[in-house]
């Protein structure tokens, strides 16, 4: 377990990302969702992440129901604020077009990083999850709401942490610029960076990861597979939730070929690369079934030969400043 920043909250090296439990892109049955969480627990996972955004609260409800079988003190739980849910009684259809989740559009998301909005959103999450406290709370995708997030949302989280309502606070985004600002200008314990530190995207090395190392801030990495391309590179695979450009598909196929030639898998290499940086406390992997969870856990512990990393570096596929799993941090 790794402690987040200087606070009391700890996370394991492999975390369970519960977006798929909210029916991301396609429906997942209640039993399948429950089995995925149960299997994660059996595989030793003790960090679970969700958000109101995921399935308009469905992910939180399902995750909370599955975790109710275990002592609250035995796992670390994170959720997010910034998208407040409101009833939408006159809405019809599903949420696929607007939110990407195959759920009825009976609620609507309201961007709200105000102090009141943060507290109201967190209280609703506690109810859906069925718990009395949440260990980590992230400001969720404040890209277009920077002023409100920094002036109201972050101070509200700071007060909640001081009151002992939450143990650790941070921000979760798909970009590095604003996350770096959170690291440099606030007292966050952790940031969740999705998709910007992978075998295909090293952009976090330019700003976020050095800043976190300097400040003693922890980083959780999400999107290690860049939403699918590094898990199964093939025509039609997705990269950052859209069809992968041909150039990136070719690079992913080449990486897979190199991994297989060295007797490992691209999935194992993708996870190992994310976990190797010294400021990375945990790697979150999304899964929608027990089989996917078992595969992720197996890949996370699959050895990746040093020769593979050396070849990637020799071909210029990895920047020289990227820590490799075979290297000891300085």
């Amino acid at each position: 377990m790794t402690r987040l920043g200087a606070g009391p909250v700890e996370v394991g090296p492999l975390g369970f990302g519960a977006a798929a439990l909210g029916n991301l892109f396609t429906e997942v049955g209640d039993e399948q969702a429950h089995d995925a969480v149960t299997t994660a627990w059996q595989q030793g996972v003790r960090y679970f992440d969700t958000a109101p955004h995921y399935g308009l609260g469905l992910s939180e409800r399902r995750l909370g129901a599955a975790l109710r079988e275990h002592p609250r003190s035995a796992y670390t739980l994170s959720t997010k604020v910034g998208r407040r849910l409101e009833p939408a009684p006159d809405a019809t259809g599903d949420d696929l077009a607007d939110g990407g989740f195959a759920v009825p559009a009976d609620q609507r998301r309201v961007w709200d990083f105000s102090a009141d909005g943060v507290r109201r959103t967190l209280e609703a999450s506690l109810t859906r999850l069925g718990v009395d406290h949440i260990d980590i709370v992230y400001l969720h995708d404040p890209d277009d709401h920077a002023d409100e997030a920094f002036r109201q949302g972050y101070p509200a989280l700071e007060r909640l942490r001081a009151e002992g309502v939450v143990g650790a606070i941070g921000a979760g985004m798909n970009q590095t610029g604003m996350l770096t600002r959170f690291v440099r200008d606030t007292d966050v314990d952790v940031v969740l960076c999705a998709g910007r530190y992978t075998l295909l995207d090293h952009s976090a090395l330019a700003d976020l990861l050095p800043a976190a190392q300097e400040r003693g801030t922890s980083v959780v990495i999400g999107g290690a597979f860049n939403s699918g391309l590094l898990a199964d590179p093939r025509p039609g695979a997705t990269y950052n939730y859209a069809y992968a450009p041909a150039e990136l598909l070719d690079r992913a196929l080449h990486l897979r070929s190199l991994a297989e030639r060295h007797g490992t898998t691209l999935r194992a290499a993708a996870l190992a690369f994310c976990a190797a940086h010294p400021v990375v406390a945990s790697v979150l992997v999304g899964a929608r079934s027990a089989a996917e969870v078992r595969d992720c856990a197996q890949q996370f512990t699959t050895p990746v030969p040093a020769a593979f990393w050396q070849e990637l570096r020799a071909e210029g596929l990895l920047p020289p400043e990227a820590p490799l799993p075979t290297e000891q941090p300085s």
Side-chain angles (χ1 to χ4, degrees):
M1 301 287 281
T2 299
R3 184 164 295 193
L4 299 179
V9 178
E10 295 182 330
V11 295
L14 180 65
F16 181 94
L21 303 193
N23 291 359
L24 180 62
F25 302 134
T26 186
E27 289 188 18
V28 172
D30 288 340
E31 184 176 352
Q32 180 178 327
H34 187 279
D35 288 347
V37 178
T38 298
T39 302
W41 189 276
Q42 293 168 347
Q43 295 294 322
V45 174
R46 295 295 183 270
Y47 173 34
F48 299 86
D49 174 75
T50 183
H53 169 55
Y54 304 154
L56 296 171
L58 179 61
S59 172
E60 289 185 319
R61 290 193 296 271
R62 283 175 162 172
L63 182 61
L67 290 176
R68 215 158 291 147
E69 301 171 4
H70 308 288
R72 179 63 189 88
S73 60
Y75 61 88
T76 301
L77 178 63
S78 62
T79 192
K80 307 179 184 75
V81 294
R83 289 176 172 94
R84 182 167 48 79
L85 300 183
E86 287 187 348
D90 298 328
T92 59
D94 59 37
D95 180 59
L96 276 171
D98 291 333
F101 294 89
V103 296
D106 55 0
Q107 296 184 82
R108 67 187 187 101
R109 302 171 181 87
V110 178
W111 287 105
D112 190 350
F113 291 94
S114 69
D116 178 66
V118 164
R119 286 186 176 267
R120 289 169 60 191
T121 302
L122 182 57
E123 287 170 2
S125 289
L126 287 166
T127 299
R128 284 189 292 266
L129 286 160
V131 296
D132 60 3
H133 72 281
I134 293 171
D135 302 290
I136 310 163
V137 178
Y138 298 105
L139 297 170
H140 198 185
D141 295 336
D143 305 65
D144 298 325
H145 308 271
D147 186 65
E148 189 176 47
F150 279 97
R151 293 171 64 89
Q152 293 195 52
Y154 168 75
L157 287 187
E158 204 172 50
R159 286 191 292 272
L160 288 166
R161 182 178 60 185
E163 294 166 6
V165 177
V166 301
I169 60 174
M173 304 180 72
N174 296 284
Q175 56 142 298
T176 65
M178 195 180 295
L179 287 182
T180 304
R181 182 181 167 192
F182 274 107
V183 169
R184 293 198 182 280
D185 297 348
T186 74
D187 189 31
V188 292
D189 303 284
V190 58
V191 292
L192 169 51
C193 177
R196 303 286 77 84
Y197 191 60
T198 72
L199 284 177
L200 292 174
D201 187 331
H202 318 130
S203 53
L205 278 171
D207 50 10
L208 177 61
L209 297 178
Q213 198 159 17
E214 178 184 335
R215 294 272 294 172
T217 306
S218 297
V219 177
V220 170
I221 294 294
F225 300 139
N226 281 122
S227 77
L229 182 56
L230 286 170
D232 182 19
R234 54 181 170 73
T238 52
Y239 175 84
N240 289 355
Y241 306 104
Y243 288 121
E247 177 188 355
L248 284 177
L249 174 59
D250 289 344
R251 197 190 317 171
L253 289 168
H254 180 56
L255 288 169
R256 184 175 69 181
S257 176
L258 290 177
E260 291 173 350
R261 184 153 57 80
H262 284 281
T264 189
T265 68
L266 178 57
R267 299 191 306 286
L271 294 173
F273 175 74
C274 294
H277 199 286
V279 303
V280 173
S282 187
V283 179
L284 279 177
V285 181
R288 65 179 64 247
S289 69
E292 288 185 0
V293 171
R294 281 190 291 268
D295 180 71
C296 286
Q298 178 183 353
Q299 298 304 319
F300 194 71
T301 57
T302 296
V304 181
F308 168 78
W309 303 113
Q310 293 164 3
E311 187 163 357
L312 260 60
R313 189 160 274 173
E315 290 192 17
L317 294 171
L318 289 180
E321 67 271 24
L324 302 182
T326 53
E327 297 174 343
Q328 295 297 318
S330 57

